[in-house]
Amino acid sequence: MTNLFGTSLHWPEGCMAGTAMHELSLCESVLQILEQQAEAQQYRKVKTVWLEIGALSGVEIEALRFSFDVVIQGSLADHARLEIIEVPGQAWCLPCGRNVAVQQLYDQCPRCGSHQLQVNGGDQMRIKELEVE
Amino acid sequence: MCGVCGCGEGHSHSHDHDHSHDHHHHDHDHEHDAAHAHAPGLSRVRMVQIEQDILAKNNRYAAKNRSYFGERGMLALNLVSSPGSGKTTLLTETIARLKDGIAITVIEGDQQTARDAERIRATGVQAVQINTGKGCHLDAHRIGHALKSLEPDNHSLLFIENVGNLVCPSSFDLGEAHKVVILSVTEGEDKPIKYPDMFHAADLMILNKTDLLPYLDFDSEQCIRYAKQVNPRIKVLPLSAKTGEGMNNWLRWLKAELELQRIGYA
């Protein structure tokens, strides 16, 4: 398979419709934003990208790093450094009436054991900041 | 340039612009060249605050689709599942039972082939096939283009059959009213906690192929408990698209949801 820039990728077969493919398309979205912003923000090269990734976003950080390096080849972010800011998961527990920390979407409330939790933090995938020139 | 979103057909690079100027250029090559050709003495490293959601572009198209559906009083459903859960059979059986009273269109997503769209068209309704190729999910932009060619009726029902994949489609809003996740009883009952993102994003879980329950060790109660752990608000409809058991409840759910869209309640 080839990526957007025509360079060859060797991707494990099992990943085609799975997790790594997911991170690959997220990285393509990141690159699109970098390209769009280049004109408005007057930069020609991206040296570092800070991404804020929530623990409940479903993003596999290692797969994201791997995909990032693949996707940026030959782009304005070629050889850019990827910095990940991991944000812990947080949910509102209905019975407790307060925010609690969660690691997974199927976690129970660490205080009361309820599953009546509404995720209200740690599900984001955001570009935070760039180092450019 | 297309009339749906102003993009240049066939380009896989960025299509949208935050600002509303009307020119539409694709200057990526120029950007790349410039990046490589800069003079060493001129480089000035600085920080830029972006604060942008990675999925912002998809979400903008999704919002456009959602208002398209809203203006027309349509019900759009995003059907998601693992491959082989019986989505297409459920759809053809549903269409056969509803098409005389309700206008229905279908968007079919698969990595390759138009086989599913052909199965849908055989029921007599209009279907558009989107082949995602290497991609593992449908995105809101491609749905916008499919709507352009489908031109669905006001107050109609649109099924979007997503690529068989319980991972990626959970993150991509298509503008639908609900994600409906289909889980067949031939899969493990722990799928909801193995793939929590999808069950968290869905409003309805259909437990399909219930006619096979006597031959399997599948624990339906446990499966529903797992689904509610991940998403306390999820509703569950068990059915067999093959024997028709439980289908009536699904049809009633569809009609009720469509009615809500038609009165502009949702």
Side-chain angles (χ1 to χ4, degrees):
Chain A
M1 81 191 261
T2 54
N3 69 7
L4 286 176
F5 307 99
T7 47
S8 209
L9 293 184
H10 296 284
W11 215 272
E13 282 302 309
C15 294
M16 286 301 291
T19 310
M21 195 67 218
H22 182 47
E23 279 72 14
L24 188 65
S25 62
L26 293 175
C27 286
E28 283 169 355
S29 300
V30 169
L31 180 59
Q32 285 180 359
I33 294 171
L34 300 184
E35 288 175 341
Q36 280 162 24
Q37 292 285 323
E39 196 182 350
Q41 308 272 3
Q42 307 255 303
Y43 59 79
R44 292 178 165 186
K45 195 161 172 54
V46 178
K47 297 174 74 79
T48 314
V49 178
W50 278 267
L51 296 184
E52 201 176 68
I53 303 293
L56 305 177
S57 65
V59 174
E60 202 58 58
I61 302 289
E62 281 317 303
L64 191 71
R65 289 189 182 284
F66 181 68
S67 304
F68 183 81
D69 291 341
V70 170
V71 165
I72 60 173
Q73 284 171 33
S75 77
L76 82 175
D78 203 0
H79 293 104
R81 206 154 50 89
L82 179 63
E83 294 286 342
I84 307 274
I85 306 160
E86 293 185 51
V87 183
Q90 181 183 281
W92 178 261
C93 175
L94 290 175
C96 291
R98 57 176 287 173
N99 283 327
V100 293
V102 287
Q103 274 77 48
Q104 305 283 353
L105 288 173
Y106 50 82
D107 274 358
Q108 54 190 33
C109 171
R111 288 167 52 89
C112 73
S114 167
H115 284 287
Q116 296 288 321
L117 300 175
Q118 285 172 342
V119 172
N120 61 6
D123 56 350
Q124 68 268 60
M125 302 183 260
R126 294 175 66 79
I127 301 182
K128 193 84 182 147
E129 212 174 12
L130 305 176
E131 184 187 28
V132 299
E133 65 177 25
Chain B
M1 189 189 300
C2 85
V4 178
C5 59
C7 78
E9 283 276 13
H11 288 263
S12 61
H13 279 80
S14 56
H15 297 296
D16 63 334
H17 298 268
D18 274 338
H19 35 290
S20 60
H21 61 136
D22 56 12
H23 67 280
H24 193 88
H25 53 251
H26 288 268
D27 59 353
H28 309 290
D29 292 338
H30 164 74
E31 289 293 330
H32 294 172
D33 292 341
H36 296 302
H38 69 91
L42 295 175
S43 76
R44 291 220 303 269
V45 177
R46 63 195 160 93
M47 302 300 289
V48 174
Q49 303 284 328
I50 293 259
E51 292 283 349
Q52 207 178 118
D53 194 307
I54 293 173
L55 297 175
K57 177 185 165 190
N58 182 74
N59 292 342
R60 279 196 298 275
Y61 283 118
K64 248 173 116 174
N65 294 345
R66 190 162 280 118
S67 60
Y68 177 102
F69 300 137
E71 285 159 15
R72 287 163 180 76
M74 289 174 58
L75 174 64
L77 297 174
N78 182 357
L79 307 185
V80 291
S81 79
S82 316
S85 66
K87 274 198 305 291
T88 313
T89 302
L90 174 65
L91 261 187
T92 53
E93 291 299 319
T94 303
I95 292 165
R97 288 165 166 84
L98 283 183
K99 66 173 179 173
D100 289 338
I102 298 170
I104 301 173
T105 50
V106 178
I107 297 172
E108 276 291 334
D110 275 305
Q111 286 200 314
Q112 300 291 341
T113 82
R115 295 174 73 97
D116 281 357
E118 285 157 15
R119 281 176 69 187
I120 300 294
R121 284 189 205 112
T123 66
V125 305
Q126 220 192 328
V128 163
Q129 180 82 45
I130 299 177
N131 282 137
T132 56
K134 307 286 186 214
C136 46
H137 58 268
L138 291 173
D139 63 55
H141 180 221
R142 302 195 71 168
I143 297 302
H145 280 273
L147 290 172
K148 181 78 177 167
S149 61
L150 274 178
E151 295 186 335
D153 291 346
N154 288 352
H155 305 299
S156 64
L157 176 53
L158 170 68
F159 291 110
I160 303 167
E161 186 180 337
N162 218 313
V163 178
N165 173 359
L166 279 177
V167 184
C168 318
S170 69
S171 306
F172 287 81
D173 183 10
L174 304 180
E176 72 276 353
H178 304 288
K179 282 191 179 73
V180 177
V181 63
I182 295 140
L183 179 66
S184 73
V185 300
T186 53
E187 304 170 58
E189 60 251 334
D190 53 0
K191 273 262 167 90
I193 53 170
K194 281 183 171 170
Y195 298 91
D197 298 295
M198 187 59 88
F199 291 84
H200 191 256
D203 296 318
L204 177 68
M205 173 170 94
I206 288 183
L207 210 48
N208 193 18
K209 307 189 188 177
T210 54
D211 55 299
L212 297 176
L213 278 173
Y215 314 105
L216 301 166
D217 289 329
F218 188 88
D219 184 343
S220 301
E221 293 302 315
Q222 184 58 49
C223 179
I224 293 168
R225 269 197 298 277
Y226 282 142
K228 298 230 179 214
Q229 277 182 25
V230 174
N231 178 1
R233 297 167 310 282
I234 201 165
K235 306 293 183 214
V236 183
L237 286 175
L239 60 82
S240 165
K242 192 177 172 191
T243 66
E245 181 194 10
M247 278 295 281
N248 207 31
N249 288 339
W250 160 237
L251 301 181
R252 289 171 72 182
W253 184 89
L254 285 171
K255 287 175 187 166
E257 288 294 326
L258 179 57
E259 209 50 40
L260 290 177
Q261 299 296 328
R262 286 175 172 177
I263 65 171
Y265 177 78

